Amino acid sequence: MPELPEVEITARRLSTALGGAEIESASAPGMVAMKTFDPPLEALAGRTVTGVRRIGKMPVVELSGDLALLVHLMSAGRLQVFDRRASARDRASRVLIRLADGRELRLREFGSRQRAWAKLLPSDRVSEDEMVATLGPEAWPAPRLEDFAALIDQPRQLHPLLRDQRAIAGIGRSWVDEILWEARLSPFKRGSELLEAEVEGLHRALGVLGRALEHYERVIGETVPDKLPMPLQVHRREGEPCPRCGTTIAAVHFKEHQANYCPEEQTGGRLLKDRRLSRLLK
Ligand SMILES: [Zn+2]
């Protein structure tokens, strides 16, 4: 799933590629993708794309005439520009924005589930949208240490807490593993249990997001590929040696995802139980 660094680089590249492009027409082949109907998608005809930005994990396509398309990619969506128009049989198409120069901006979604969505809103309403208004502060650039310390001071485990967009925006299943590994903290430690130095270390560890973005700026050209070259050290590296200490990276498997960590540096040598079998573990 695209998280803050992936959506940020996507927004930057799309903004460069699309800035000033005139829209010919727009449609939504994914019947359930558009979550708003007023203004209608047809209102995009004749407008220009003025830029693409990011809020949390959501790209926002800014349009002339003070409209904005707020997009949620969910787990398998991609927002990409193509030189040619999509075939009517492209079942991955959810929203198509045809440009006057022949190109096309597409919200596509891989897999059979239709979960990605878009909302066409007046620009000044974006911040009031429920998906935006409920977001915590952006994880990058990192919030001030005092603010971060306050939001992390909850009796909830760090792994779900850092992924809770209402607590802090932009972190998902991949980067949470990297941030916790960087901070040498257990995924299941509770936010309110952290010592002051641990809070500071976790705050510093948010820097991995900025470094990921710098990496993407170096390696990604004009077009963002389907599969991004994510600079991950521990996520999905179960069984491989920890890049810092050589201990075998372990995993906790959940129904739809896994958490990876270094037992030596993050859990005092303990292996955490598999969450598919056991729901409670301190
Ligand atoms: Zn290690």
Side-chain angles (χ1 to χ4, degrees):
M1 170 170 191
E3 300 174 27
L4 190 155
E6 292 73 43
V7 178
E8 177 67 24
I9 194 70
T10 299
R12 289 182 185 183
R13 292 298 186 266
L14 287 176
S15 209
T16 302
L18 298 174
E22 189 187 328
I23 296 171
E24 185 181 288
S25 65
S27 61
M31 301 295 280
V32 296
M34 283 305 298
K35 284 203 167 190
T36 53
F37 57 90
D38 184 25
L41 263 186
E42 292 77 46
L44 293 188
R47 291 175 197 264
T48 53
V49 177
T50 55
V52 181
R53 64 188 176 103
R54 174 195 62 79
I55 302 174
K57 294 191 273 190
M58 296 177 280
V60 185
V61 182
E62 307 274 9
L63 306 149
S64 63
D66 294 324
L67 284 183
L69 189 73
L70 174 69
V71 177
H72 202 305
L73 301 166
M74 297 302 288
S75 56
R78 295 288 183 275
L79 193 61
Q80 294 165 306
V81 63
F82 291 85
D83 287 337
R84 277 190 231 143
R85 287 163 184 188
S87 150
R89 284 178 301 178
D90 178 7
R91 297 182 59 206
S93 295
R94 299 292 180 261
V95 177
L96 302 175
I97 298 179
R98 294 182 167 166
L99 304 174
D101 60 19
R103 293 181 298 162
E104 188 170 70
L105 174 64
R106 284 181 220 160
L107 170 59
R108 303 178 76 224
E109 190 172 27
F110 301 98
S112 55
R113 280 151 113 184
Q114 291 208 23
R115 295 163 84 188
W117 55 255
K119 294 177 183 177
L120 184 59
L121 303 164
S123 298
D124 59 1
R125 294 287 174 81
V126 172
S127 62
E128 295 166 19
D129 182 83
E130 57 170 337
M131 290 301 292
V132 176
T134 54
L135 291 176
E138 292 280 345
W140 175 89
R144 294 187 317 156
L145 177 59
E146 306 89 277
D147 298 335
F148 179 72
L151 72 84
I152 212 78
D153 186 15
Q154 298 186 47
R156 298 172 61 192
Q157 295 172 336
L158 293 173
H159 202 273
L161 176 55
L162 289 170
R163 286 184 293 120
D164 182 349
Q165 303 304 296
R166 291 164 299 179
I168 185 164
I171 302 168
R173 292 166 182 174
S174 302
W175 290 107
V176 69
D177 282 354
E178 301 296 313
I179 290 166
L180 290 170
W181 177 75
E182 183 77 16
R184 296 172 167 84
L185 287 171
S186 165
F188 299 139
K189 192 152 193 172
R190 291 172 199 280
S192 50
E193 291 170 355
L194 297 184
L195 305 172
E196 205 175 310
E198 290 175 322
V199 173
E200 287 170 13
L202 186 55
H203 181 256
R204 240 184 343 265
L206 294 175
V208 300
L209 300 170
R211 293 199 290 280
L213 192 51
E214 286 166 17
H215 166 78
Y216 292 145
E217 280 289 7
R218 279 195 303 274
V219 302
I220 291 178
E222 289 178 15
T223 310
V224 176
D226 278 351
K227 202 163 167 43
L228 274 87
M230 294 175 76
L232 301 170
Q233 310 282 341
V234 286
H235 184 66
R236 291 192 174 276
R237 292 188 182 260
E238 180 182 11
E240 295 181 29
C242 167
R244 251 184 340 232
C245 74
T247 303
T248 303
I249 300 289
V252 183
H253 291 270
F254 296 83
K255 197 167 156 219
E256 289 189 351
H257 68 288
Q258 59 176 279
N260 298 107
Y261 63 98
C262 169
E264 177 65 27
E265 297 180 290
Q266 292 179 256
T267 58
R270 284 188 309 153
L271 288 173
L272 304 173
K273 281 187 195 157
D274 194 321
R275 289 308 169 103
R276 286 172 299 193
L277 305 171
S278 135
R279 290 189 58 234
L280 288 171
L281 187 96
K282 297 255 162 61

